[in-house]
Amino acid sequence: PRCLITVLVEGATIPPAGTPIQREGGTVGMVTSSCWSPTVGAVLALGVVERAIAEEGRSVRLPVPGGELSGAMRMAPMHDPERARARS
């Protein structure tokens, strides 16, 4: 079974849809979409991975043309449902 995760990507490069999500040299999933998030101040990528590999904070690699990006899995949504930022 697979599950949807968020990858908090290091740097400003936005990985394209279809980019493999790799862990320890093997492909464990795929990026479905990504964008720069002005709210979070970082690049976020949504992806689908094997449920057994999904774990908060687990590091992953995203191979892109010209190099490789590093990132960390996030299991919780990166939005602000209580609107705490808007009230601060």
Side-chain angles (χ1 to χ4, degrees):
R2 295 179 166 256
C3 67
L4 183 66
I5 58 147
T6 300
V7 177
L8 183 60
V9 180
E10 295 177 14
T13 302
I14 299 172
T19 299
I21 299 173
Q22 297 181 337
R23 172 88 180 145
E24 297 173 355
T27 298
V28 296
M30 183 180 303
V31 170
T32 57
S33 63
S34 58
C35 67
W36 169 259
S37 169
T39 302
V40 178
V43 173
L44 300 177
L46 294 179
V48 179
V49 298
E50 294 295 328
R51 189 175 301 275
I53 199 79
E55 182 180 310
E56 180 71 26
R58 180 168 274 180
S59 63
V60 294
R61 300 272 184 201
L62 307 171
V64 294
E68 189 174 73
L69 303 173
S70 296
M73 289 187 195
R74 298 288 181 239
M75 305 312 293
M78 299 294 288
H79 68 288
D80 183 18
E82 286 83 33
R83 298 188 43 86
R85 288 188 194 108
R87 294 187 188 124
S88 59

